Amino acid sequence: MSPTTFPHTLTKEHPTLFKIDTELDLLVKKIELLSYVNPINMEKEKQRFFTSKYIDNPVFSYPKLKFNPFELQRKFFAQPLERIKDSTAQQLYQDIIYYYSNMIQCIEHIGDHKKFYYNSLRVYGTPTEKDVHNAQFILHFADEKTELRTEKYYSSAEAKTYFEQFITHYNFPLKIGYSTSIAANAMVSNRTQTLLIKKNAKFSRNQLLTLANHEIGVHLVTTYNGLAQPLKIFSNGFPKNVETQEGLAVFSEYMCGSLTLNRLKELAYRVIASDSLIKDFSFSDTFHLLHNYYKLNRDDAFTITLRAHRGGGFTKDRLYLSGLRKIYKRYLQAEPMVALLSGKVAMEYEAAIMHLKDMGLVTENSHQNKAFSQNLNTNKTLDFILNNLK
């Protein structure tokens, strides 16, 4: 039975559930947080910050909202969840509504430090003491030697060609676009199923392999697996899905052999930057912590600081390292990843996913991550670190 006809056979059995799921799908499509939280003047403010000798904090501008936050939240909470007969599904959708309500409040207060940061904490949390200790443990290791003088760097156009070749390993389409207003060198827009490449960025060969397995191998795989599910929430995203999705994505880097100590340190620096927010560090304070104390080069220090301070204090980046730790632990215990690749889902809801599957509401995955089939990592230092994260 194909994904396009499968849901219709269940609509009569679960009419309220499918109606609410469809309504939420229409609402969720309006609130892709990353399309609002990335500053539109980041390059200009970067140059101004550098010119000031890292003193004048950047003043970022953000895209205008395309929806009314109050009206949108009202539509979320107007859903008749009490009519969903299955208690597990009812609780899941209640959690989903609270999750997206918090996200709307995040978007509504972008640029307002206190309000945005508070709502960011509700959605993504703050680094725990264990997270910070793990980050410091990683940063304790000496940098890996790289042959920067001989390493070739590729343009964004060449990166596009590389990704187009990589996608031949998968049987779903790849849409590629360029952007000047994303913090990362590449990212997937789940709403449009598009891989966005940062215009004018430069990529090493290993970075291309990393991004391909991270963005295409996980983020697009879970996007298209989610789209094939009967319930649209698998495509839109469960609560707490970021930690699981980013953990899977970085684990994909590890399995394909592209994960480096320097990349792992980047994730550790993100935890340190996220932790600085709760200490009320300014943009300049966080930058100086990374650049002067940890001796990170100024461009990387700016990017990581930007990722943490955008919007007014964005703690999403703390979840990459904790996600990797949890997924790696599952790998060591030979726990299956299948349910976690079924869409934009979260480990915390794995039991709910299996319950929905028993109800006939979850199909087999249409796409698999190619890197998960064989461990190509040869870096023993990485194994030692990952095995000793707390």
Side-chain angles (χ1 to χ4, degrees), residues 230-296:
L231 295 171
K232 299 180 187 299
I233 196 58
F234 279 80
S235 170
N236 291 320
F238 282 41
K240 300 182 180 180
N241 75 82
V242 171
E243 183 177 45
T244 300
Q245 297 304 302
E246 298 302 349
L248 288 167
V250 180
F251 179 69
S252 182
E253 300 173 27
Y254 167 81
M255 290 295 284
C256 80
S258 73
L259 186 64
T260 63
L261 176 57
N262 290 337
R263 167 66 167 158
L264 204 56
K265 283 190 170 187
E266 177 188 341
L267 304 186
Y269 286 129
R270 291 180 182 181
V271 173
I272 298 297
S274 294
D275 184 59
S276 77
L277 296 173
I278 206 167
K279 299 172 182 175
D280 204 27
F281 276 33
S282 68
F283 188 102
S284 180
D285 292 335
T286 303
F287 176 86
H288 282 288
L289 174 66
L290 298 177
H291 183 53
N292 294 334
Y293 181 80
Y294 284 105
K295 307 304 179 185
L296 189 61

Side-chain angles (χ1 to χ4, degrees), residues 319-360:
L319 296 169
Y320 287 68
L321 187 58
S322 61
L324 172 62
R325 179 181 62 82
K326 291 178 180 179
I327 295 297
Y328 184 76
K329 183 178 179 180
R330 288 178 65 103
Y331 166 70
L332 292 181
Q333 296 173 345
E335 294 182 28
M337 307 287 183
V338 177
L340 304 186
L341 290 170
S342 61
K344 304 299 181 181
V345 302
M347 285 176 274
E348 290 84 349
Y349 290 92
E350 192 166 7
I353 294 169
M354 301 313 294
H355 177 78
L356 292 175
K357 186 173 183 179
D358 290 340
M359 294 171 64

Side-chain angles (χ1 to χ4, degrees), residues 304-317:
I304 292 171
T305 302
L306 164 67
R307 291 177 65 100
H309 281 268
R310 55 186 164 164
F314 195 41
T315 56
K316 171 179 175 283
D317 274 1

